[in-house]
Amino acid sequence: MRMKSILSRRAFTALAGAAVIATAMPVPSFAADVTIPIIVKDTTSFYWQIVLAGARKAGQDLGVNVPELGAQAESDINGQISILENAVAGKPAAVVISPTEFKALGKPIDEAAKSVPIIGIDSAADSKAFKSFLTTDNVQGGRIAADGLAAAIKEMTGKEEGDVVILTNLPGVGSLEQRREGFLDQVKTKYPGLKVIADKYGDGQATTGLNMMTDLITANPNLVGVFASNLIMAQGVGQAIAENKLGDKIKVVGFDSDEKTVGFLKEGSLAALVVQDPYRMGYDGIKTALAVSKGEKVEENVDTGANLVTKANMSDPKIDALLNPKIK
């Protein structure tokens, strides 16, 4: 037993060292027989901190060591690949990962899956090696956003008509492309009066979203609506609307939430937010990974849900729990 304990501590120490290099997020100090790292896209983002909080709680409840890994920006694709390789080298029981980019993470995940079970959360990758995948139905999330935007525009103008734009954080991200697809499909089939006049990609920075939105405001005086398809874009677009005092003329639906975007929602700079359940993704990701490591059967695909949040329903208990998760 003493030798087994020593080996367990060495394995954990190796993974903990990788976590220190990869992220500033704390790594649990206890050692356990089972280690399941979780790798997110960006440890600095509030959204991913909620995911990590869920994973951390699962580790505590299940007696599993959960190193919290991730790059410092969603655009650091090579960084995430290196983190994945280092995590797998530590021979954990399984790995939970949210791929930063669909194509680029495909082969690295295939390779990792030869050594350990891989559980995917949030965003897809070009791989069939996932033992289970837990995510929002992002196509449906895009449809929800289109419905919310159409309703906000109708409330403002009396009709579901006008020029709208889509702003996407980064190209090639599976979840974001699915949201875009769902939004465009819903507009085409259900809201023919809405005309998508711009469909633009950013570079992963909220300031870029702010600048893009400012330029769109100047160039398109008839603009009535915007879909900002993730938290970073919603931050930038909300800031542009707030600075120009255009909340009563341009309706914006964002995706995900933090203190800043909830503030924009309260003051009217954002009309609505499509909110996922990232805490559940983190918690159930670890729970599923543990089950897989034990040889138990799990669902291949799990929809963790999405809700449209407006100023009118944001105080509802269910919505409030999503907007104000416990992350510590």
Side-chain angles (χ1 to χ4, degrees), residues 52-292:
L52 292 175
R56 189 181 312 131
K57 185 62 166 64
Q60 294 167 356
D61 290 350
L62 301 171
V64 175
N65 173 48
V66 182
E68 300 172 17
L69 311 177
Q72 298 293 300
E74 292 193 22
S75 56
D76 188 3
I77 297 169
N78 290 332
Q80 191 185 57
I81 292 172
S82 296
I83 292 166
L84 173 61
E85 292 170 347
N86 289 336
V88 171
K91 298 183 179 179
V95 171
V96 178
I97 185 170
S98 178
T100 54
E101 205 273 338
F102 182 80
K103 289 290 185 182
L105 268 292
K107 288 184 178 180
I109 288 172
D110 285 342
E111 191 64 29
K114 294 177 182 178
S115 302
V116 299
I118 305 294
I119 305 299
I121 59 172
D122 186 78
S123 295
D126 190 13
S127 171
K128 296 181 179 180
F130 294 108
K131 294 294 185 182
S132 182
F133 198 82
L134 299 87
T135 186
T136 303
D137 181 340
N138 282 292
V139 174
Q140 179 61 16
R143 295 191 186 109
I144 291 170
D147 289 342
L149 186 59
I153 291 170
K154 185 176 181 179
E155 183 179 355
M156 176 177 65
T157 66
K159 51 190 177 182
E160 297 165 343
E161 296 179 3
D163 295 345
V164 300
V165 300
I166 305 174
L167 295 182
T168 302
N169 191 40
L170 288 164
V173 178
S175 59
L176 302 187
E177 293 299 339
Q178 290 165 358
R179 293 170 197 173
R180 175 180 170 275
E181 173 191 337
F183 181 87
L184 287 170
D185 180 69
Q186 193 79 336
V187 166
K188 180 179 179 180
T189 59
K190 194 173 178 180
Y191 306 108
L194 296 180
K195 181 181 178 183
V196 179
I197 61 168
D199 184 359
K200 295 181 175 294
Y201 290 89
D203 60 1
Q205 302 297 319
T207 51
T208 301
L210 167 62
N211 293 334
M212 290 168 65
M213 189 64 228
T214 301
D215 290 343
L216 285 165
I217 290 169
T218 302
N220 301 279
N222 296 322
L223 185 65
V224 295
V226 182
F227 174 38
S229 68
N230 86 326
L231 178 61
I232 293 172
M233 279 294 109
Q235 291 172 342
V237 172
Q239 186 67 40
I241 297 296
E243 288 180 0
N244 289 278
K245 296 180 173 59
L246 291 173
D248 59 343
K249 294 182 179 180
I250 300 176
K251 297 302 177 180
V252 180
V253 174
F255 217 102
D256 298 326
S257 67
D258 66 353
E259 185 177 355
K260 188 170 187 177
T261 54
V262 170
F264 286 147
L265 183 63
K266 289 178 179 177
E267 70 182 35
S269 297
L270 297 180
L273 295 167
V274 180
V275 178
Q276 306 178 79
D277 194 344
Y279 190 93
R280 179 185 171 190
M281 281 187 207
Y283 191 101
D284 286 0
I286 297 299
K287 184 178 178 180
T288 302
L290 179 61
V292 168

Side-chain angles (χ1 to χ4, degrees), residues 8 30-36 62-67 92-94 289-290 293-294:
S8 294
F30 63 87
D33 289 336
V34 177
T35 294
I36 300 175
L62 301 171
V64 175
N65 173 48
V66 182
L290 179 61
S293 73
K294 294 179 177 179

Side-chain angles (χ1 to χ4, degrees), residues 39-55:
I39 305 172
V40 298
K41 297 180 183 180
D42 175 5
T43 59
T44 69
S45 164
F46 183 70
Y47 176 85
W48 294 110
Q49 288 171 14
I50 299 172
V51 173
L52 292 175

